[in-house]
Amino acid sequence: MAIVVDNFSTEKRSFTFFLPAILGTILEYYDYALYGFCSAKLAVHFFREDDPTVALLKFFGVFIAGSCAKPLGALIFGYIGDQFGRSPALKMSLFGIIVPTLVVGLLPGYDDIGWLAPLLLLLCRITQGMLVSGEYEGVRIFMFEFLGKENPHFVNSLSNFASYLGIYFASVAVMLTTSQDLPDWIWRLPFIVGGVLGIFIVWVRRHYLQETPEYVRYRARNPKREINSWISILKRNKRTCLAAILLYGTAGGGYHFYFVFFGNYLQSSLGFVESAQSAFNVSISILIYSVCGPLAGWLCDRYGPFLIAKIAFYSLLPLIALNIYMLAQSVMPFWLMGLTAGTLAFFHVPGAVTLLQKFEVSIRFRCSSLSHALGSMLFSGTAPLMSLWIWRTTNIEIAPLFYFGLLCLLGFFAIREILNTNATQLLDSRTRGNDVDGFKATECINQLTDIK
């Protein structure tokens, strides 16, 4: 694979490169999220259990397998992204996820092929988990290196917006196929549509997705590819990587709790809401979360990421308490889910850009994708199963929400650590009269003071 270094105008061609990246992310997260939103239906279809909660437990076990496969995908695509370019990694990651999506849509159930059904479902989920790890971080890095110098948090929030827009489309597709008047096979249609659309997006990326200017300049200065071992990379960046694992993991865990687990919990386990109403509540909550993301990014660029994170965190605390109170009353109003979802967006956006700035171009893809994958494996993918296990163990309906609160608390500590160390690094650069990663050192004195 060769990187062609050419002189081009980023302003004129950035939109041409921006669109294929965003379209691919929307579709990839649409495909990936379908599995979670169809969990109640798939659990019954692929696992033979009289108790729907037991079937859901087994299903969430398969859900975890997808997260466990992410570190392997991060190792593969991180290497490709740093050694051969961001564009090749993104082209390859999208192609691999549409095939498992089509397979799930066409896969016979347990009643038809027995134990092969959950086995093949497991293999599809592992494949999706491995390949999606190269997509999310790849697109964030791609957009950051193309457009993220002036308004980095807003640009980063656009990639988040694209992924959650795909998740929203998946929730809408599931909502439209949950009516009892529709045939039983209708749940397959969103998977098949996603796989077919993926073929077109793969073609778009193959022909229009180009390399980022920052990586092109880096490769022009360093034409020889140096193979740095993972051990040496992690040793040099261990503190940042540990904070990144906690940040990504708790953010993903909070998302999986509130948008994947909680709706199914209220519907299948507690029986508080009907399936159609649950799908509607989750769908609108995700839309609110998606729309609030770019606004949060804009505010982070204007007022500083830690201030926004701090306000969002202290706003989440009473909202979580209110969720606990309402659940104890056997109700969960829609307005509360929407308000909690919007506040989560303001809490999750700060911090991610600072991580990208801390990693050098030569190791950015590897460190960021592996940290994200490990965080997902430890906190994100396990959140639904852990929450359901907490409820089954304690037999207390509100108990899973305390786990949700713990994830938010750990996430706040991670954001504080990341922004604190970055501000200190930039403040040190002030004595040398340098700017670090596009930030003026004097601007970070205020950030450091705010954190302290």
Side-chain angles (χ1 to χ4, degrees):
M1 256 177 248
I3 301 295
V4 178
V5 180
D6 56 0
N7 295 321
F8 54 81
S9 171
T10 301
E11 292 77 9
K12 293 181 179 179
R13 298 176 60 180
S14 60
F15 181 77
T16 305
F17 303 153
F18 169 85
L19 189 61
I22 289 297
L23 288 177
T25 298
I26 293 172
L27 180 68
E28 191 149 5
Y29 271 81
Y30 166 88
D31 290 347
Y32 192 71
L34 280 177
Y35 187 92
F37 291 131
C38 291
S39 56
K41 176 71 72 174
L42 294 177
V44 175
H45 189 73
F46 288 101
F47 297 93
R48 175 177 289 178
E49 291 291 346
D50 295 330
D51 187 345
T53 301
V54 175
L56 199 60
L57 275 169
K58 291 184 176 181
F59 177 82
F60 283 143
V62 176
F63 193 88
I64 290 177
S67 296
C68 291
K70 286 185 177 182
L72 177 59
L75 292 173
I76 296 172
F77 288 102
Y79 175 81
I80 295 172
D82 283 335
Q83 294 296 320
F84 301 101
R86 310 341 186 179
S87 176
L90 289 176
K91 291 176 182 178
M92 296 172 64
S93 66
L94 180 62
F95 178 79
I97 203 171
I98 62 175
V99 175
T101 303
L102 277 172
V103 172
V104 171
L106 302 172
L107 186 62
Y110 189 93
D111 293 336
D112 298 314
I113 59 175
W115 61 270
L116 280 176
L119 177 61
L120 292 174
L121 183 69
L122 174 64
L123 293 175
C124 288
R125 184 63 183 179
I126 289 174
T127 303
Q128 283 185 322
M130 183 177 68
L131 294 169
V132 79
S133 65
E135 171 68 21
Y136 182 74
E137 287 305 304
V139 169
R140 287 204 316 116
I141 292 170
F142 183 90
M143 295 182 64
F144 172 75
E145 293 180 354
F146 244 118
L147 306 169
K149 294 303 181 184
E150 294 183 0
N151 299 289
H153 292 91
F154 178 73
V155 169
N156 174 73
S157 70
L158 293 180
S159 62
N160 293 339
F161 175 78
S163 62
Y164 287 108
L165 189 61
I167 295 170
Y168 168 71
F169 287 151
S171 68
V172 171
V174 172
M175 180 181 66
L176 294 176
T177 56
T178 54
S179 174
Q180 296 181 353
D181 299 329
L182 297 173
D184 291 339
W185 57 264
I186 198 66
W187 65 266
R188 299 178 179 274
L189 191 59
F191 288 90
I192 296 172
V193 170
V196 172
L197 287 176
I199 298 174
F200 170 73
I201 304 299
V202 166
W203 179 86
V204 171
R205 274 197 177 179
R206 181 178 179 85
H207 288 80
Y208 294 101
L209 193 68
Q210 302 297 322
E211 195 50 73
T212 69
E214 188 170 352
Y215 186 83
V216 168
R217 289 191 292 269
Y218 159 74
R219 186 52 66 198
R221 295 192 303 266
N222 304 274
K224 184 179 179 180
R225 295 186 175 90
E226 298 180 0
I227 308 299
N228 297 318
S229 69
W230 274 103
I231 295 178
S232 64
I233 292 175
L234 293 177
K235 279 184 177 180
R236 296 197 310 267
N237 301 273
K238 59 183 178 181
R239 184 170 179 176
T240 302
C241 287
L242 288 174
I245 290 171
L246 190 60
L247 175 70
Y248 288 136
T250 53
Y255 154 74
H256 279 99
F257 178 92
Y258 213 72
F259 300 127
V260 175
F261 164 77
F262 202 48
N264 286 294
Y265 178 62
L266 296 175
Q267 170 203 336
S268 300
S269 300
L270 302 183
F272 286 178
V273 295
E274 298 294 332
S275 59
Q277 183 63 43
S278 175
F280 173 80
N281 291 347
V282 171
S283 177
I284 299 302
S285 296
I286 291 175
L287 179 61
I288 294 172
Y289 183 96
S290 303
V291 172
C292 287
L295 176 59
W298 179 80
L299 290 173
C300 285
D301 287 325
R302 185 173 180 85
Y303 299 106
F306 187 74
L307 177 61
I308 303 303
K310 186 164 60 174
I311 293 174
F313 175 71
Y314 289 124
S315 300
L316 269 177
L317 295 180
L319 286 175
I320 294 173
L322 192 55
N323 273 265
I324 293 173
Y325 173 77
M326 288 296 184
L327 191 59
Q329 305 302 313
S330 300
V331 294
M332 184 51 61
F334 166 70
W335 64 264
L336 180 57
M337 293 189 67
L339 186 59
T340 305
T343 308
L344 270 178
F346 285 91
F347 182 57
H348 288 163
V349 168
V353 168
T354 310
L355 283 174
L356 295 183
Q357 293 166 336
K358 288 172 72 67
F359 294 130
E360 301 172 359
V361 176
S362 59
I363 61 171
R364 183 174 289 159
F365 208 124
R366 278 173 285 185
C367 289
S368 185
S369 61
L370 183 61
S371 299
H372 193 169
L374 291 174
S376 178
M377 182 180 70
L378 295 174
F379 297 99
S380 180
T382 59
L385 183 62
M386 178 65 72
S387 302
L388 197 57
W389 176 83
I390 291 173
W391 172 64
R392 294 279 291 191
T393 302
T394 63
N395 201 29
I396 300 174
E397 294 175 350
I398 62 174
L401 280 166
F402 287 95
Y403 180 65
F404 176 54
L406 176 62
L407 290 174
C408 293
L409 179 63
L410 293 175
F412 182 71
F413 287 152
I415 293 173
R416 181 183 177 89
E417 171 65 20
I418 291 166
L419 294 176
N420 191 9
T421 56
N422 192 65
T424 302
Q425 175 191 17
L426 293 172
L427 183 59
D428 290 342
S429 72
R430 176 173 170 266
T431 61
R432 302 189 299 269
N434 296 330
D435 289 349
V436 178
D437 294 333
F439 274 105
K440 293 182 177 65
T442 53
E443 292 176 353
C444 287
I445 299 175
N446 294 330
Q447 184 187 102
L448 183 61
T449 304
D450 184 36
I451 294 172
K452 296 298 185 183

